[in-house]
Amino acid sequence: MAGAPAGDATIAQLESTAREIRRDIIRMVGRAGSGHPGGSLSVTDLVTALLFHEMRNDPAHPDDPARDRLVLSKGHAAPALYAALAHRGFLPHEELLSLRQLGSRLQGHVDRNKLPCIEASTGCLGQGIGMAVGMALGARLERQSHRVYAILGDGECQAGPTWEALMVGGHYRLANLVVLLDRNGYETDGATESILGIEPIVDKFAAFRYHTIDIDGHDFGQILAALAEARTTVDRPTAIVARTVKGKGVSFMENTHVWHGKAPNAAETERALAELADPPAS
Amino acid sequence: MTALGRIMATSVAGTVPKESLRDAYGETLVELGSADPRLVVLDADLAGSTRTQLFGKKFPERFFDLGVMEPTLMTVAAGLALAPRTVFASTFAVFAAGQAYNQVRQAICYNRANVKIVATHGGLLVGPDGGTHQMIEDIGLMRGLPRMNVIVPADAPSTRSAVRAAAEIDGPVYLRLTRENLPRVTDGSFRFGVANRLRDGHDLTIVAVGALVARGLETATELERVGISTRVLDLASVKPVDVPALVRAARETGALLVLEEHSVETGVGALVAATVAEGYPVPVRRVGVPDVFGESGEAWAVLDHFGLSRQRILDEAWELLAQRGKVH
Ligand SMILES: Cc1ncc(C[n+]2csc(CCOP(=O)(O)OP(=O)(O)O)c2C)c(N)n1
């Protein structure tokens, strides 16, 4: 039996959990001296909403066949997923600081052979989405009722395999598949729209036969509502285009590509942690 | 771990200045672009890391950062080459040789398109990014392609001349660069089909590529302390390979030790072993990555962990020498 969703978490609790996860991301990447803070901070609220509200999963039974699946197709955002999994009880919180060290289960890009609660090893963009489609197809073949969630980056939407996989999901009407796009507007070298524009992205998903929902990816009310709407969509997969801020929560990392693949030094780590300490003014 | 423990690797003075091969590449691209207005450069959202950005800033109208799309990076590069233009295309090795393998095969090699693929972040020294990004199969994949030339420079100066040599020949090139800065070990020359003899000797030959050339030279120095004379060949031109130099090394030194940051199954060790077996059979040992994927860790620690530590190399050399009756 998959555990009940942690669905009773209130929005205030989700916000507080997300803040803790963001603090962990900064500590982990800072300690490791390398990694991808920008895209980890932008995706944090989506991952938090999934693991602490939407998904049926149980840390005591990480291999329960009935569990919902989450595939982080943008595998470089590993710190966000590791931190969220630790807060949810899938791994010891102390282990987070071993990120990227020799012998650690926390590889630079998520690795299912090292860490059993990871559904698919990713890191090469454009592949996770295909594996998620395969998992959704598999669930249908096995007449299982669990759902599959895949998180894409917007730079990743430039990659051909992403669209091949999405086409398969649309063609087979995989209603058990939910694709979440972390639309943070930046990739490694700069702004996505200046490097190779992916707009109109909502129309693209719709044209690929997805029920498409356009939301603010840092507003838990909107995230939860979109995920609920996806559940009631029974004839098609759903694509949630979540408008996010790269580097969200750390002023000097926000809305730039500079912190895509760069770790903060000790002083920057302290500054970032200080900014993440206070609850945002309401 | 010392298999035989006959000599222990001493720690090497860490004062040798190291230089970036990627900077050498980017700077040479700018020089080439100034001299040849027809040169075009492509990247796939890693221009800062590969250093093609240096060219992009200088010649924005001849630079295309296509975004995350390595297969199409290669087909567009092939089309531009058929236009015809001289084209350099860069991304990380795992994406250039892995993600885009069949585009490199058909669009570039089969077409005989004049594309120079400069792949950075080759090998284990990508370190913390982990096994997904540590490309240790690319030399095998690329040297197996008809018409492809393969270069693995050992330092920044030879990277400069290798990039120039690649631009000069008419045909596809795969040039693999190491992410980590490396000490200067060559005189800066590179020639296709010529093995760089960095040190002469008669008891043993060490053949190495890339970052391992420096370790080969260090090993030769260690062996010299106990009276063993070691030849060191930098096999930067992996393809075409210098068959005469390898056969001569076999005949004159009687044993070869091959060092590479690559899978031993398909890499330079396999190439050297086959060449020697056909030309002048003597014992050959391949020191590289066994048939496994890498994992995250500090770059040089990962190299040691996967069997390329100084001590392991010394032990392998010692066993080869023992096999030849040169040490007991
Ligand atoms: C196939 C592939 N090509 C290149 C890379 C290197 N890379 C890692 S992240 C990244 C940019 C991704 O941008 P985006 O999907 O927008 O990620 P985010 O901004 O959400 O972090 C690139 C090019 C990769 N991991 N996989």
Side-chain angles (χ1 to χ4, degrees), chain B residues 185-210:
Chain B
V185 289
T186 72
D187 64 1
S189 63
F190 169 84
R191 277 194 292 153
F192 278 108
V194 178
N196 225 342
R197 189 192 288 193
L198 300 181
R199 183 179 170 127
D200 203 6
H202 50 261
D203 293 321
L204 169 73
T205 298
I206 293 179
V207 182
V209 290

Side-chain angles (χ1 to χ4, degrees), chain A:
Chain A
M1 269 301 280
D8 33 6
T10 64
I11 286 183
Q13 284 167 333
L14 291 172
E15 284 171 350
S16 146
T17 303
R19 197 154 45 243
E20 285 307 316
I21 291 170
R22 285 195 168 91
R23 291 172 60 79
D24 283 331
I25 291 168
I26 294 297
R27 286 195 200 98
M28 293 163 77
V29 178
R31 165 71 74 89
S34 69
H36 299 84
S40 298
L41 294 168
S42 64
V43 83
T44 298
D45 295 329
L46 296 177
V47 171
T48 304
L50 286 167
L51 281 178
F52 290 85
H53 190 280
E54 173 68 10
M55 290 173 60
R56 285 181 308 168
N57 55 25
D58 179 1
H61 301 99
D63 52 2
D64 182 343
R67 72 192 183 282
D68 289 338
R69 269 62 162 183
L70 169 57
V71 177
L72 185 67
S73 198
K74 40 170 276 186
H76 58 279
L81 184 54
Y82 293 145
L85 287 167
H87 282 276
R88 186 80 178 86
F90 282 94
L91 62 138
H93 191 258
E94 315 83 76
E95 198 175 337
L96 291 180
L97 288 180
S98 72
L99 177 72
R100 290 177 162 246
Q101 284 169 25
L102 200 54
S104 171
R105 298 196 296 170
L106 309 191
Q107 294 291 296
H109 296 79
V110 294
D111 183 340
R112 69 181 289 270
N113 291 301
K114 299 239 188 280
L115 200 58
C117 53
I118 297 296
E119 300 291 351
S121 308
T122 53
C124 186
L125 297 167
Q127 294 194 11
I129 177 65
M131 291 188 270
V133 166
M135 289 176 192
L137 209 46
R140 174 189 285 181
L141 284 174
E142 299 293 327
R143 301 191 194 292
Q144 290 170 330
S145 64
H146 63 262
R147 298 169 67 72
V148 181
Y149 300 87
I151 299 181
L152 286 176
D154 47 8
E156 189 177 13
C157 288
Q158 294 160 343
T162 300
W163 296 100
E164 296 171 10
L166 287 169
M167 209 185 309
V168 176
H171 179 84
Y172 288 99
R173 297 179 173 276
L174 297 176
N176 54 352
L177 173 71
V178 181
V179 178
L180 298 101
L181 172 63
D182 180 11
R183 181 65 168 128
N184 62 29
Y186 291 87
E187 52 191 305
T188 314
D189 285 342
T192 305
E193 289 311 293
S194 71
I195 289 176
L196 195 87
I198 63 168
E199 292 294 343
I201 190 67
V202 173
D203 295 351
K204 282 197 173 85
F205 280 116
F208 275 62
R209 307 183 192 173
Y210 283 66
H211 174 60
T212 305
I213 312 172
D214 193 351
I215 63 164
D216 174 346
H218 300 306
D219 179 330
F220 278 105
Q222 292 189 34
I223 301 171
L224 301 189
L227 290 167
E229 189 175 321
R231 276 190 183 278
T232 60
T233 305
V234 294
D235 61 338
R236 278 172 294 168
T238 295
I240 299 173
V241 176
R243 311 280 170 178
T244 57
V245 172
K246 192 138 176 170
K248 175 72 178 176
V250 177
S251 60
F252 59 93
M253 292 186 179
E254 286 190 353
N255 290 315
T256 171
H257 66 284
V258 171
W259 294 92
H260 169 80
K262 183 174 109 166
N265 63 25
E268 290 157 347
T269 298
E270 284 315 308
R271 268 174 64 203
L273 289 175
E275 288 193 21
L276 289 165
D278 307 315
S282 49

Side-chain angles (χ1 to χ4, degrees), chain B residues 10-326:
Chain B
T10 51
S11 60
V12 184
T15 50
V16 194
K18 292 184 171 182
E19 299 164 307
S20 164
L21 279 62
R22 291 180 287 152
D23 287 346
Y25 166 49
E27 289 160 14
T28 307
L29 264 189
V30 172
E31 290 163 16
L32 289 172
S34 306
D36 176 5
R38 300 187 53 77
L39 190 83
V40 178
V41 177
L42 307 181
D43 204 296
D45 194 31
L46 293 168
S49 294
T50 65
R51 304 293 194 264
T52 60
Q53 206 171 62
L54 296 175
F55 182 94
K57 287 204 169 119
K58 189 86 189 273
F59 307 109
E61 72 292 349
R62 290 189 268 148
F63 176 68
F64 302 91
D65 188 342
L66 300 179
V68 188
M69 48 168 72
E70 296 80 10
T72 300
L73 171 74
M74 299 306 174
T75 53
V76 170
L80 276 161
L82 299 176
R85 289 273 184 153
T86 302
V87 185
F88 276 78
S90 280
T91 177
F92 293 176
V94 69
F95 307 125
Q99 180 85 345
Y101 175 76
N102 201 39
Q103 283 73 11
V104 173
R105 181 176 187 272
Q106 317 270 20
I108 295 178
C109 292
Y110 199 79
N111 268 309
R112 218 189 281 272
N114 192 24
V115 176
K116 321 302 167 183
I117 301 165
V118 179
T120 66
H121 295 60
L124 291 172
L125 287 171
V126 173
D129 274 347
T132 52
H133 286 51
Q134 291 161 3
M135 183 39 143
I136 50 178
E137 311 98 56
D138 57 332
I139 296 175
L141 285 168
M142 293 294 111
R143 78 180 177 89
L145 285 173
R147 298 175 184 159
M148 183 59 100
N149 298 283
V150 180
I151 313 176
V152 186
D155 62 9
S158 62
T159 297
R160 290 178 203 276
S161 44
V163 171
R164 288 184 172 280
E168 273 159 27
I169 66 159
D170 181 18
V173 174
Y174 180 82
L175 202 154
R176 182 210 223 203
L177 297 182
T178 306
R179 176 180 187 275
E180 289 293 299
N181 294 350
L182 299 177
R184 188 177 291 218
V185 289
T186 72
D187 64 1
S189 63
F190 169 84
R191 277 194 292 153
F192 278 108
V194 178
N196 225 342
R197 189 192 288 193
L198 300 181
R199 183 179 170 127
D200 203 6
H202 50 261
D203 293 321
L204 169 73
T205 298
I206 293 179
V207 182
V209 290
L212 271 302
V213 174
R215 288 212 165 167
L217 287 167
E218 287 160 13
T219 306
T221 307
E222 301 273 11
L223 292 171
E224 189 177 29
R225 292 191 295 124
V226 292
I228 302 292
S229 150
T230 307
R231 179 176 302 184
V232 177
L233 297 179
D234 162 20
L235 210 66
S237 178
V238 172
K239 187 181 174 185
V241 73
D242 191 344
V243 175
L246 292 174
V247 171
R248 205 177 314 123
R251 197 171 48 237
E252 294 173 2
T253 72
L256 288 86
L257 182 68
V258 190
L259 315 179
E260 62 185 322
E261 222 194 309
H262 189 278
S263 165
V264 292
E265 304 290 332
T266 60
V268 175
L271 165 66
V272 170
T275 307
V276 168
E278 284 182 356
Y280 193 90
V282 299
V284 174
R285 276 182 185 245
R286 298 165 297 157
V287 183
V289 188
D291 192 20
V292 294
F293 289 113
E295 56 182 88
S296 288
E298 187 278 322
W300 296 94
V302 170
L303 198 66
D304 289 352
H305 180 79
F306 284 96
L308 289 153
S309 67
R310 294 199 178 84
Q311 187 63 55
R312 164 83 194 289
I313 293 168
L314 207 44
D315 291 343
E316 292 284 344
W318 201 263
E319 284 196 32
L320 254 186
L321 290 162
Q323 207 174 331
R324 299 283 302 153
K326 298 200 174 179

